[in-house]
Amino acid sequence: MIFLPTRAAALERLEDFVPHTVRYAGHRNFDLGAGKREGVSGLSPYIRTRLVTEEECTRAVLARHNARAPEKFLQEIAWRTYWKGWLEMRPNVWRQYLDTLAVQEKSRYYEEAIYGNTRIECFNHWANELVETGYLHNHARMWFASIWIFTLKLSWQLGADFFLRNLLDGDPASNTLSWRWVAGLHTPGKHYLARAENISKFTNGRFDPKGRLNESAPPLPMDFGPERQSLLLPPDPAPRGRIGHLMFPDDLAPPPDRLGKISATATFIPPVLETTPLVSAFLNGAVNDTLHRTHGRRLSGPFTSAISDWMSAEKLDSIVVSMPTVGFTKDFLDTEQLPVPPHFFVRDWDRKLWPHATAGFFKLKAALPKIHAALAPRRKDDLFPHV
Ligand SMILES: Cc1cc2nc3c(=O)[nH]c(=O)nc-3n(C[C@H](O)[C@H](O)[C@H](O)COP(=O)(O)OP(=O)(O)OC[C@H]3O[C@@H](n4cnc5c(N)ncnc54)[C@H](O)[C@@H]3O)c2cc1C
């Protein structure tokens, strides 16, 4: 798949995939190799930056089909939101991941794994594919993480870090929690074991690692019991005067109209995780595309002075920012001072779905039909506004 970092490319991919969403359930598990990915959408790098939002994807599907036939696809879109909501209520899981990662030793076996030099051909293939393309099919991510943890016996935190640096869609919530899910740390006692037969079946015989995988490993022992905090979402802000919209690469979508007229936009890429040149190029491209469409300005240098200068140059009275979720951007903002307190807003989609992420996915899944029915129908030409 080729991922052009523009909203136009995101919308084209969405429009192309909408007709396929009704066949998604039967095709999504097959990984037939790069160039043969018709079973999945390839939307994740766009959703990760919100060049296209989860709500837009859902609306586009519902405008074409009733909710039943593409149900599985709509549920997968909601999985991403579920992971975000779940982590919002358990920020200590993210802290614990970072703290444990910081003290991991990178052994020779780790090097062999990330450079694709193990004795497991399919694993080597996926390690190289990830580094070269910035994308892996969901089933390959599951097999890879499982082999990493249970056959190669490497630390899941190092594996999650390898993914996060290399994935174009790298997302602290989806990535950390998916690795924990594979390891058996999300649902205690339930882990995901990669099996040679399953790999052979769903790669259409491209790989058959028979006899090479540990197919009977127990789940990892629970590391700690993550405590759930209540979800404290700020009410809609009421910014005054001339309003600026400040964006980070986690959310490049416009704010809701009800916040008022936006007089200026700007982006800032926090110097946080060291990603690969491929990922940096995608994020930079996504930011440039957003600035081009919104006639905005890219801010760089020391954060506080960059914001002050922008506010003075644009004569801004207040700034609105999509509320950063648990992850690097939030960690960065927590340590920075802004010249005025920003007005954080929460998108309707997140506000509606996150409260259902208190426990397993089932609770959110059960709420989806009502949430989908409540999405007001829009005229077809309103579905894909290009700015
Ligand atoms: C170990 C591991 C790590 C992962 N890390 C990430 C990550 O960093 N970022 C990320 O976006 N996804 C992650 N995923 C989830 C999933 O693999 C990808 O979202 C999916 O493969 C993206 O490809 P697609 O857009 O073609 O998916 P499609 O199958 O076309 O799905 C459509 C959209 O639904 C969402 N989605 C689908 N499956 C999942 C899922 N299991 N969890 C969360 N959202 C999902 C994505 O936004 C995706 O774009 C991870 C999964 C595993 C097993």
PDB file of all heavy atoms in Angstrom, residues 24 40-44 47 73 76-77 79-80 83 135-138 141-142 145 163 167 169-171 174-175 178-179, ligand 1:
ATOM      1  N   TYR A  24     -16.132  -7.367   4.331  1.00  0.00           N
ATOM      2  CA  TYR A  24     -14.966  -7.239   5.218  1.00  0.00           C
ATOM      3  C   TYR A  24     -14.845  -8.426   6.185  1.00  0.00           C
ATOM      4  O   TYR A  24     -13.757  -8.985   6.347  1.00  0.00           O
ATOM      5  CB  TYR A  24     -15.116  -5.913   5.969  1.00  0.00           C
ATOM      6  CG  TYR A  24     -14.055  -5.618   6.995  1.00  0.00           C
ATOM      7  CD1 TYR A  24     -12.800  -5.146   6.625  1.00  0.00           C
ATOM      8  CD2 TYR A  24     -14.320  -5.770   8.360  1.00  0.00           C
ATOM      9  CE1 TYR A  24     -11.833  -4.840   7.575  1.00  0.00           C
ATOM     10  CE2 TYR A  24     -13.367  -5.470   9.316  1.00  0.00           C
ATOM     11  CZ  TYR A  24     -12.128  -5.008   8.919  1.00  0.00           C
ATOM     12  OH  TYR A  24     -11.174  -4.720   9.870  1.00  0.00           O
ATOM     13  N   VAL A  40      -8.694  -5.375   3.562  1.00  0.00           N
ATOM     14  CA  VAL A  40      -8.675  -4.350   4.619  1.00  0.00           C
ATOM     15  C   VAL A  40      -8.532  -2.972   3.989  1.00  0.00           C
ATOM     16  O   VAL A  40      -8.149  -2.840   2.822  1.00  0.00           O
ATOM     17  CB  VAL A  40      -7.525  -4.604   5.636  1.00  0.00           C
ATOM     18  CG1 VAL A  40      -7.799  -5.821   6.493  1.00  0.00           C
ATOM     19  CG2 VAL A  40      -6.183  -4.712   4.924  1.00  0.00           C
ATOM     20  N   SER A  41      -8.833  -1.946   4.793  1.00  0.00           N
ATOM     21  CA  SER A  41      -8.968  -0.614   4.200  1.00  0.00           C
ATOM     22  C   SER A  41      -7.656   0.152   4.035  1.00  0.00           C
ATOM     23  O   SER A  41      -7.566   1.034   3.178  1.00  0.00           O
ATOM     24  CB  SER A  41      -9.902   0.231   5.074  1.00  0.00           C
ATOM     25  OG  SER A  41      -9.265   0.530   6.312  1.00  0.00           O
ATOM     26  N   GLY A  42      -6.669  -0.107   4.898  1.00  0.00           N
ATOM     27  CA  GLY A  42      -5.451   0.716   4.873  1.00  0.00           C
ATOM     28  C   GLY A  42      -5.727   2.149   5.307  1.00  0.00           C
ATOM     29  O   GLY A  42      -4.988   3.071   4.955  1.00  0.00           O
ATOM     30  N   LEU A  43      -6.749   2.344   6.120  1.00  0.00           N
ATOM     31  CA  LEU A  43      -7.088   3.708   6.551  1.00  0.00           C
ATOM     32  C   LEU A  43      -6.342   4.154   7.812  1.00  0.00           C
ATOM     33  O   LEU A  43      -6.370   5.331   8.181  1.00  0.00           O
ATOM     34  CB  LEU A  43      -8.602   3.805   6.807  1.00  0.00           C
ATOM     35  CG  LEU A  43      -9.488   3.978   5.579  1.00  0.00           C
ATOM     36  CD1 LEU A  43     -10.946   3.727   5.924  1.00  0.00           C
ATOM     37  CD2 LEU A  43      -9.318   5.376   4.990  1.00  0.00           C
ATOM     38  N   SER A  44      -5.678   3.208   8.494  1.00  0.00           N
ATOM     39  CA  SER A  44      -5.185   3.527   9.839  1.00  0.00           C
ATOM     40  C   SER A  44      -4.207   4.711   9.926  1.00  0.00           C
ATOM     41  O   SER A  44      -4.328   5.506  10.853  1.00  0.00           O
ATOM     42  CB  SER A  44      -4.595   2.289  10.507  1.00  0.00           C
ATOM     43  OG  SER A  44      -3.619   1.698   9.699  1.00  0.00           O
ATOM     44  N   ILE A  47      -6.478   7.718   9.946  1.00  0.00           N
ATOM     45  CA  ILE A  47      -7.299   7.873  11.155  1.00  0.00           C
ATOM     46  C   ILE A  47      -6.401   8.274  12.322  1.00  0.00           C
ATOM     47  O   ILE A  47      -6.772   9.086  13.163  1.00  0.00           O
ATOM     48  CB  ILE A  47      -8.068   6.564  11.459  1.00  0.00           C
ATOM     49  CG1 ILE A  47      -9.011   6.226  10.306  1.00  0.00           C
ATOM     50  CG2 ILE A  47      -8.851   6.697  12.755  1.00  0.00           C
ATOM     51  CD1 ILE A  47      -9.762   4.913  10.455  1.00  0.00           C
ATOM     52  N   PHE A  73     -16.835  -4.138  10.165  1.00  0.00           N
ATOM     53  CA  PHE A  73     -15.948  -3.004   9.881  1.00  0.00           C
ATOM     54  C   PHE A  73     -16.231  -1.858  10.867  1.00  0.00           C
ATOM     55  O   PHE A  73     -15.304  -1.272  11.429  1.00  0.00           O
ATOM     56  CB  PHE A  73     -16.130  -2.540   8.435  1.00  0.00           C
ATOM     57  CG  PHE A  73     -15.227  -1.402   8.060  1.00  0.00           C
ATOM     58  CD1 PHE A  73     -13.881  -1.634   7.810  1.00  0.00           C
ATOM     59  CD2 PHE A  73     -15.699  -0.096   7.983  1.00  0.00           C
ATOM     60  CE1 PHE A  73     -13.011  -0.578   7.495  1.00  0.00           C
ATOM     61  CE2 PHE A  73     -14.850   0.955   7.664  1.00  0.00           C
ATOM     62  CZ  PHE A  73     -13.510   0.715   7.413  1.00  0.00           C
ATOM     63  N   GLU A  76     -14.679  -2.560  14.112  1.00  0.00           N
ATOM     64  CA  GLU A  76     -13.216  -2.395  14.155  1.00  0.00           C
ATOM     65  C   GLU A  76     -12.836  -0.921  14.297  1.00  0.00           C
ATOM     66  O   GLU A  76     -11.901  -0.574  15.010  1.00  0.00           O
ATOM     67  CB  GLU A  76     -12.565  -2.997  12.907  1.00  0.00           C
ATOM     68  CG  GLU A  76     -12.651  -4.509  12.834  1.00  0.00           C
ATOM     69  CD  GLU A  76     -12.058  -5.220  14.056  1.00  0.00           C
ATOM     70  OE1 GLU A  76     -10.955  -4.866  14.479  1.00  0.00           O
ATOM     71  OE2 GLU A  76     -12.720  -6.129  14.584  1.00  0.00           O
ATOM     72  N   ILE A  77     -13.591  -0.061  13.608  1.00  0.00           N
ATOM     73  CA  ILE A  77     -13.355   1.385  13.771  1.00  0.00           C
ATOM     74  C   ILE A  77     -13.504   1.745  15.256  1.00  0.00           C
ATOM     75  O   ILE A  77     -12.717   2.508  15.823  1.00  0.00           O
ATOM     76  CB  ILE A  77     -14.376   2.205  12.926  1.00  0.00           C
ATOM     77  CG1 ILE A  77     -14.167   1.950  11.434  1.00  0.00           C
ATOM     78  CG2 ILE A  77     -14.321   3.690  13.260  1.00  0.00           C
ATOM     79  CD1 ILE A  77     -13.074   2.729  10.778  1.00  0.00           C
ATOM     80  N   TRP A  79     -13.020  -0.211  17.787  1.00  0.00           N
ATOM     81  CA  TRP A  79     -11.948  -0.776  18.615  1.00  0.00           C
ATOM     82  C   TRP A  79     -10.899   0.282  18.928  1.00  0.00           C
ATOM     83  O   TRP A  79     -10.361   0.364  20.025  1.00  0.00           O
ATOM     84  CB  TRP A  79     -11.262  -1.956  17.900  1.00  0.00           C
ATOM     85  CG  TRP A  79     -11.748  -3.290  18.375  1.00  0.00           C
ATOM     86  CD1 TRP A  79     -12.608  -4.110  17.698  1.00  0.00           C
ATOM     87  CD2 TRP A  79     -11.403  -3.975  19.601  1.00  0.00           C
ATOM     88  NE1 TRP A  79     -12.813  -5.256  18.443  1.00  0.00           N
ATOM     89  CE2 TRP A  79     -12.088  -5.198  19.606  1.00  0.00           C
ATOM     90  CE3 TRP A  79     -10.593  -3.666  20.685  1.00  0.00           C
ATOM     91  CZ2 TRP A  79     -11.977  -6.114  20.651  1.00  0.00           C
ATOM     92  CZ3 TRP A  79     -10.486  -4.566  21.730  1.00  0.00           C
ATOM     93  CH2 TRP A  79     -11.178  -5.776  21.716  1.00  0.00           C
ATOM     94  N   ARG A  80     -10.571   1.076  17.921  1.00  0.00           N
ATOM     95  CA  ARG A  80      -9.552   2.105  18.147  1.00  0.00           C
ATOM     96  C   ARG A  80     -10.022   3.069  19.236  1.00  0.00           C
ATOM     97  O   ARG A  80      -9.263   3.425  20.133  1.00  0.00           O
ATOM     98  CB  ARG A  80      -9.303   2.867  16.834  1.00  0.00           C
ATOM     99  CG  ARG A  80      -8.270   3.929  17.000  1.00  0.00           C
ATOM    100  CD  ARG A  80      -7.925   4.587  15.677  1.00  0.00           C
ATOM    101  NE  ARG A  80      -6.709   5.360  15.827  1.00  0.00           N
ATOM    102  CZ  ARG A  80      -6.660   6.584  16.322  1.00  0.00           C
ATOM    103  NH1 ARG A  80      -7.761   7.189  16.715  1.00  0.00           N
ATOM    104  NH2 ARG A  80      -5.507   7.216  16.437  1.00  0.00           N
ATOM    105  N   TRP A  83      -9.845   1.415  22.730  1.00  0.00           N
ATOM    106  CA  TRP A  83      -8.517   1.412  23.348  1.00  0.00           C
ATOM    107  C   TRP A  83      -8.191   2.790  23.915  1.00  0.00           C
ATOM    108  O   TRP A  83      -7.628   2.920  24.991  1.00  0.00           O
ATOM    109  CB  TRP A  83      -7.440   1.023  22.333  1.00  0.00           C
ATOM    110  CG  TRP A  83      -7.381  -0.407  21.895  1.00  0.00           C
ATOM    111  CD1 TRP A  83      -7.268  -0.852  20.607  1.00  0.00           C
ATOM    112  CD2 TRP A  83      -7.353  -1.598  22.713  1.00  0.00           C
ATOM    113  NE1 TRP A  83      -7.186  -2.230  20.592  1.00  0.00           N
ATOM    114  CE2 TRP A  83      -7.237  -2.705  21.856  1.00  0.00           C
ATOM    115  CE3 TRP A  83      -7.427  -1.814  24.095  1.00  0.00           C
ATOM    116  CZ2 TRP A  83      -7.192  -4.024  22.323  1.00  0.00           C
ATOM    117  CZ3 TRP A  83      -7.385  -3.125  24.562  1.00  0.00           C
ATOM    118  CH2 TRP A  83      -7.269  -4.210  23.688  1.00  0.00           C
ATOM    119  N   TYR A 135       3.797  -0.448   7.644  1.00  0.00           N
ATOM    120  CA  TYR A 135       2.456  -1.030   7.809  1.00  0.00           C
ATOM    121  C   TYR A 135       2.566  -2.537   7.943  1.00  0.00           C
ATOM    122  O   TYR A 135       3.422  -3.170   7.304  1.00  0.00           O
ATOM    123  CB  TYR A 135       1.591  -0.687   6.591  1.00  0.00           C
ATOM    124  CG  TYR A 135       0.195  -1.283   6.639  1.00  0.00           C
ATOM    125  CD1 TYR A 135      -0.848  -0.614   7.280  1.00  0.00           C
ATOM    126  CD2 TYR A 135      -0.072  -2.527   6.048  1.00  0.00           C
ATOM    127  CE1 TYR A 135      -2.123  -1.168   7.342  1.00  0.00           C
ATOM    128  CE2 TYR A 135      -1.350  -3.085   6.110  1.00  0.00           C
ATOM    129  CZ  TYR A 135      -2.370  -2.405   6.752  1.00  0.00           C
ATOM    130  OH  TYR A 135      -3.625  -2.950   6.818  1.00  0.00           O
ATOM    131  N   LEU A 136       1.726  -3.114   8.765  1.00  0.00           N
ATOM    132  CA  LEU A 136       1.539  -4.579   8.796  1.00  0.00           C
ATOM    133  C   LEU A 136       0.052  -4.857   8.903  1.00  0.00           C
ATOM    134  O   LEU A 136      -0.683  -4.126   9.593  1.00  0.00           O
ATOM    135  CB  LEU A 136       2.208  -5.206  10.035  1.00  0.00           C
ATOM    136  CG  LEU A 136       3.692  -5.523  10.030  1.00  0.00           C
ATOM    137  CD1 LEU A 136       4.054  -6.283  11.306  1.00  0.00           C
ATOM    138  CD2 LEU A 136       4.095  -6.346   8.804  1.00  0.00           C
ATOM    139  N   HIS A 137      -0.374  -5.920   8.247  1.00  0.00           N
ATOM    140  CA  HIS A 137      -1.755  -6.380   8.351  1.00  0.00           C
ATOM    141  C   HIS A 137      -2.051  -6.733   9.817  1.00  0.00           C
ATOM    142  O   HIS A 137      -1.144  -7.163  10.542  1.00  0.00           O
ATOM    143  CB  HIS A 137      -1.896  -7.619   7.452  1.00  0.00           C
ATOM    144  CG  HIS A 137      -3.292  -8.148   7.347  1.00  0.00           C
ATOM    145  ND1 HIS A 137      -3.846  -8.934   8.332  1.00  0.00           N
ATOM    146  CD2 HIS A 137      -4.232  -8.017   6.388  1.00  0.00           C
ATOM    147  CE1 HIS A 137      -5.075  -9.260   7.980  1.00  0.00           C
ATOM    148  NE2 HIS A 137      -5.338  -8.712   6.800  1.00  0.00           N
ATOM    149  N   ASN A 138      -3.302  -6.572  10.251  1.00  0.00           N
ATOM    150  CA  ASN A 138      -3.645  -6.843  11.659  1.00  0.00           C
ATOM    151  C   ASN A 138      -3.277  -8.260  12.092  1.00  0.00           C
ATOM    152  O   ASN A 138      -2.723  -8.471  13.174  1.00  0.00           O
ATOM    153  CB  ASN A 138      -5.142  -6.596  11.879  1.00  0.00           C
ATOM    154  CG  ASN A 138      -5.546  -6.868  13.319  1.00  0.00           C
ATOM    155  OD1 ASN A 138      -5.013  -6.259  14.241  1.00  0.00           O
ATOM    156  ND2 ASN A 138      -6.457  -7.811  13.506  1.00  0.00           N
ATOM    157  N   ARG A 141       0.324  -8.533  12.657  1.00  0.00           N
ATOM    158  CA  ARG A 141       0.718  -7.888  13.922  1.00  0.00           C
ATOM    159  C   ARG A 141       0.475  -8.839  15.086  1.00  0.00           C
ATOM    160  O   ARG A 141       1.281  -8.933  16.021  1.00  0.00           O
ATOM    161  CB  ARG A 141      -0.088  -6.596  14.138  1.00  0.00           C
ATOM    162  CG  ARG A 141       0.193  -5.535  13.107  1.00  0.00           C
ATOM    163  CD  ARG A 141      -0.578  -4.238  13.417  1.00  0.00           C
ATOM    164  NE  ARG A 141      -0.679  -3.436  12.203  1.00  0.00           N
ATOM    165  CZ  ARG A 141      -0.831  -2.129  12.166  1.00  0.00           C
ATOM    166  NH1 ARG A 141      -0.894  -1.441  13.276  1.00  0.00           N
ATOM    167  NH2 ARG A 141      -0.926  -1.487  11.016  1.00  0.00           N
ATOM    168  N   MET A 142      -0.650  -9.553  15.028  1.00  0.00           N
ATOM    169  CA  MET A 142      -0.961 -10.490  16.119  1.00  0.00           C
ATOM    170  C   MET A 142       0.045 -11.642  16.140  1.00  0.00           C
ATOM    171  O   MET A 142       0.580 -12.002  17.194  1.00  0.00           O
ATOM    172  CB  MET A 142      -2.384 -11.033  15.937  1.00  0.00           C
ATOM    173  CG  MET A 142      -3.453  -9.990  16.217  1.00  0.00           C
ATOM    174  SD  MET A 142      -5.073 -10.414  15.529  1.00  0.00           S
ATOM    175  CE  MET A 142      -5.456 -11.900  16.380  1.00  0.00           C
ATOM    176  N   ALA A 145       3.575 -10.277  17.252  1.00  0.00           N
ATOM    177  CA  ALA A 145       3.670  -9.974  18.693  1.00  0.00           C
ATOM    178  C   ALA A 145       3.683 -11.269  19.506  1.00  0.00           C
ATOM    179  O   ALA A 145       4.428 -11.408  20.485  1.00  0.00           O
ATOM    180  CB  ALA A 145       2.497  -9.079  19.112  1.00  0.00           C
ATOM    181  N   PHE A 163       7.311  -1.445  17.268  1.00  0.00           N
ATOM    182  CA  PHE A 163       6.125  -1.128  16.454  1.00  0.00           C
ATOM    183  C   PHE A 163       5.892   0.385  16.411  1.00  0.00           C
ATOM    184  O   PHE A 163       5.689   0.974  15.351  1.00  0.00           O
ATOM    185  CB  PHE A 163       4.888  -1.818  17.042  1.00  0.00           C
ATOM    186  CG  PHE A 163       4.556  -3.143  16.397  1.00  0.00           C
ATOM    187  CD1 PHE A 163       5.544  -3.961  15.876  1.00  0.00           C
ATOM    188  CD2 PHE A 163       3.234  -3.592  16.329  1.00  0.00           C
ATOM    189  CE1 PHE A 163       5.242  -5.183  15.289  1.00  0.00           C
ATOM    190  CE2 PHE A 163       2.909  -4.813  15.737  1.00  0.00           C
ATOM    191  CZ  PHE A 163       3.905  -5.610  15.231  1.00  0.00           C
ATOM    192  N   LEU A 167       5.554   2.094  12.845  1.00  0.00           N
ATOM    193  CA  LEU A 167       4.216   2.086  12.233  1.00  0.00           C
ATOM    194  C   LEU A 167       3.777   3.492  11.821  1.00  0.00           C
ATOM    195  O   LEU A 167       3.841   4.419  12.626  1.00  0.00           O
ATOM    196  CB  LEU A 167       3.184   1.557  13.230  1.00  0.00           C
ATOM    197  CG  LEU A 167       3.088   0.049  13.442  1.00  0.00           C
ATOM    198  CD1 LEU A 167       2.179  -0.253  14.633  1.00  0.00           C
ATOM    199  CD2 LEU A 167       2.563  -0.648  12.188  1.00  0.00           C
ATOM    200  N   ASP A 169       0.803   4.188  11.533  1.00  0.00           N
ATOM    201  CA  ASP A 169      -0.387   4.427  12.351  1.00  0.00           C
ATOM    202  C   ASP A 169      -0.089   4.318  13.844  1.00  0.00           C
ATOM    203  O   ASP A 169      -1.000   4.231  14.666  1.00  0.00           O
ATOM    204  CB  ASP A 169      -1.525   3.468  11.961  1.00  0.00           C
ATOM    205  CG  ASP A 169      -1.176   1.994  12.207  1.00  0.00           C
ATOM    206  OD1 ASP A 169      -0.376   1.690  13.105  1.00  0.00           O
ATOM    207  OD2 ASP A 169      -1.728   1.136  11.486  1.00  0.00           O
ATOM    208  N   GLY A 170       1.209   4.315  14.221  1.00  0.00           N
ATOM    209  CA  GLY A 170       1.610   4.088  15.617  1.00  0.00           C
ATOM    210  C   GLY A 170       0.818   4.935  16.597  1.00  0.00           C
ATOM    211  O   GLY A 170       0.831   6.159  16.521  1.00  0.00           O
ATOM    212  N   ASP A 171       0.143   4.292  17.500  1.00  0.00           N
ATOM    213  CA  ASP A 171      -0.742   5.000  18.421  1.00  0.00           C
ATOM    214  C   ASP A 171      -0.546   4.429  19.826  1.00  0.00           C
ATOM    215  O   ASP A 171      -0.667   3.209  20.019  1.00  0.00           O
ATOM    216  CB  ASP A 171      -2.191   4.786  17.960  1.00  0.00           C
ATOM    217  CG  ASP A 171      -3.185   5.307  18.975  1.00  0.00           C
ATOM    218  OD1 ASP A 171      -3.234   6.521  19.175  1.00  0.00           O
ATOM    219  OD2 ASP A 171      -3.900   4.490  19.585  1.00  0.00           O
ATOM    220  N   SER A 174      -3.749   2.076  20.984  1.00  0.00           N
ATOM    221  CA  SER A 174      -3.969   0.840  20.211  1.00  0.00           C
ATOM    222  C   SER A 174      -2.750  -0.075  20.300  1.00  0.00           C
ATOM    223  O   SER A 174      -2.877  -1.286  20.425  1.00  0.00           O
ATOM    224  CB  SER A 174      -4.222   1.152  18.737  1.00  0.00           C
ATOM    225  OG  SER A 174      -5.498   1.689  18.561  1.00  0.00           O
ATOM    226  N   ASN A 175      -1.568   0.509  20.240  1.00  0.00           N
ATOM    227  CA  ASN A 175      -0.371  -0.324  20.201  1.00  0.00           C
ATOM    228  C   ASN A 175      -0.066  -0.951  21.562  1.00  0.00           C
ATOM    229  O   ASN A 175       0.030  -2.177  21.686  1.00  0.00           O
ATOM    230  CB  ASN A 175       0.820   0.516  19.717  1.00  0.00           C
ATOM    231  CG  ASN A 175       2.031  -0.345  19.447  1.00  0.00           C
ATOM    232  OD1 ASN A 175       1.984  -1.260  18.628  1.00  0.00           O
ATOM    233  ND2 ASN A 175       3.108  -0.100  20.170  1.00  0.00           N
ATOM    234  N   SER A 178      -2.814  -3.424  22.531  1.00  0.00           N
ATOM    235  CA  SER A 178      -2.858  -4.642  21.706  1.00  0.00           C
ATOM    236  C   SER A 178      -1.730  -5.591  22.102  1.00  0.00           C
ATOM    237  O   SER A 178      -1.922  -6.805  22.141  1.00  0.00           O
ATOM    238  CB  SER A 178      -2.734  -4.302  20.217  1.00  0.00           C
ATOM    239  OG  SER A 178      -3.828  -3.549  19.781  1.00  0.00           O
ATOM    240  N   TRP A 179      -0.553  -5.026  22.383  1.00  0.00           N
ATOM    241  CA  TRP A 179       0.550  -5.894  22.839  1.00  0.00           C
ATOM    242  C   TRP A 179       0.183  -6.541  24.175  1.00  0.00           C
ATOM    243  O   TRP A 179       0.435  -7.727  24.403  1.00  0.00           O
ATOM    244  CB  TRP A 179       1.862  -5.097  22.952  1.00  0.00           C
ATOM    245  CG  TRP A 179       2.594  -5.018  21.639  1.00  0.00           C
ATOM    246  CD1 TRP A 179       2.377  -4.116  20.647  1.00  0.00           C
ATOM    247  CD2 TRP A 179       3.641  -5.886  21.169  1.00  0.00           C
ATOM    248  NE1 TRP A 179       3.219  -4.366  19.577  1.00  0.00           N
ATOM    249  CE2 TRP A 179       4.016  -5.445  19.877  1.00  0.00           C
ATOM    250  CE3 TRP A 179       4.311  -6.985  21.702  1.00  0.00           C
ATOM    251  CZ2 TRP A 179       5.016  -6.066  19.113  1.00  0.00           C
ATOM    252  CZ3 TRP A 179       5.309  -7.606  20.955  1.00  0.00           C
ATOM    253  CH2 TRP A 179       5.649  -7.148  19.675  1.00  0.00           C
TER     254      TRP A 179
HETATM  255  C1  LIG B   1       0.273  -5.895  18.336  1.00  0.00           C
HETATM  256  C2  LIG B   1      -0.644  -4.915  17.647  1.00  0.00           C
HETATM  257  C3  LIG B   1      -0.293  -3.578  17.571  1.00  0.00           C
HETATM  258  C4  LIG B   1      -1.156  -2.661  16.955  1.00  0.00           C
HETATM  259  N1  LIG B   1      -0.785  -1.338  16.900  1.00  0.00           N
HETATM  260  C5  LIG B   1      -1.623  -0.432  16.332  1.00  0.00           C
HETATM  261  C6  LIG B   1      -1.295   0.960  16.285  1.00  0.00           C
HETATM  262  O1  LIG B   1      -0.251   1.403  16.773  1.00  0.00           O
HETATM  263  N2  LIG B   1      -2.168   1.798  15.674  1.00  0.00           N
HETATM  264  C7  LIG B   1      -3.337   1.369  15.138  1.00  0.00           C
HETATM  265  O2  LIG B   1      -4.092   2.190  14.577  1.00  0.00           O
HETATM  266  N3  LIG B   1      -3.690   0.088  15.206  1.00  0.00           N
HETATM  267  C8  LIG B   1      -2.883  -0.837  15.777  1.00  0.00           C
HETATM  268  N4  LIG B   1      -3.251  -2.156  15.813  1.00  0.00           N
HETATM  269  C9  LIG B   1      -4.603  -2.544  15.361  1.00  0.00           C
HETATM  270  C10 LIG B   1      -4.727  -2.982  13.898  1.00  0.00           C
HETATM  271  O3  LIG B   1      -3.770  -3.958  13.603  1.00  0.00           O
HETATM  272  C11 LIG B   1      -4.615  -1.836  12.893  1.00  0.00           C
HETATM  273  O4  LIG B   1      -5.458  -0.769  13.280  1.00  0.00           O
HETATM  274  C12 LIG B   1      -5.015  -2.286  11.489  1.00  0.00           C
HETATM  275  O5  LIG B   1      -4.234  -3.380  11.097  1.00  0.00           O
HETATM  276  C13 LIG B   1      -4.846  -1.131  10.533  1.00  0.00           C
HETATM  277  O6  LIG B   1      -5.009  -1.542   9.201  1.00  0.00           O
HETATM  278  P1  LIG B   1      -6.288  -1.114   8.343  1.00  0.00           P
HETATM  279  O7  LIG B   1      -6.505   0.327   8.429  1.00  0.00           O
HETATM  280  O8  LIG B   1      -6.095  -1.720   7.002  1.00  0.00           O
HETATM  281  O9  LIG B   1      -7.423  -1.862   9.169  1.00  0.00           O
HETATM  282  P2  LIG B   1      -8.950  -2.244   8.820  1.00  0.00           P
HETATM  283  O10 LIG B   1      -9.075  -3.704   9.084  1.00  0.00           O
HETATM  284  O11 LIG B   1      -9.326  -1.770   7.476  1.00  0.00           O
HETATM  285  O12 LIG B   1      -9.741  -1.504   9.940  1.00  0.00           O
HETATM  286  C14 LIG B   1     -10.295  -0.188   9.782  1.00  0.00           C
HETATM  287  C15 LIG B   1      -9.859   0.699  10.928  1.00  0.00           C
HETATM  288  O13 LIG B   1     -10.343   0.191  12.164  1.00  0.00           O
HETATM  289  C16 LIG B   1      -9.373   0.385  13.195  1.00  0.00           C
HETATM  290  N5  LIG B   1      -8.951  -0.944  13.675  1.00  0.00           N
HETATM  291  C17 LIG B   1      -9.027  -2.122  13.013  1.00  0.00           C
HETATM  292  N6  LIG B   1      -8.612  -3.138  13.800  1.00  0.00           N
HETATM  293  C18 LIG B   1      -8.239  -2.575  14.971  1.00  0.00           C
HETATM  294  C19 LIG B   1      -7.723  -3.098  16.200  1.00  0.00           C
HETATM  295  N7  LIG B   1      -7.527  -4.399  16.390  1.00  0.00           N
HETATM  296  N8  LIG B   1      -7.439  -2.225  17.199  1.00  0.00           N
HETATM  297  C20 LIG B   1      -7.654  -0.896  17.034  1.00  0.00           C
HETATM  298  N9  LIG B   1      -8.162  -0.351  15.917  1.00  0.00           N
HETATM  299  C21 LIG B   1      -8.445  -1.178  14.896  1.00  0.00           C
HETATM  300  C22 LIG B   1      -8.196   1.134  12.572  1.00  0.00           C
HETATM  301  O14 LIG B   1      -8.339   2.514  12.783  1.00  0.00           O
HETATM  302  C23 LIG B   1      -8.345   0.768  11.093  1.00  0.00           C
HETATM  303  O15 LIG B   1      -7.808   1.749  10.236  1.00  0.00           O
HETATM  304  C24 LIG B   1      -2.398  -3.104  16.421  1.00  0.00           C
HETATM  305  C25 LIG B   1      -2.721  -4.457  16.507  1.00  0.00           C
HETATM  306  C26 LIG B   1      -1.866  -5.361  17.099  1.00  0.00           C
HETATM  307  C27 LIG B   1      -2.272  -6.810  17.164  1.00  0.00           C
END
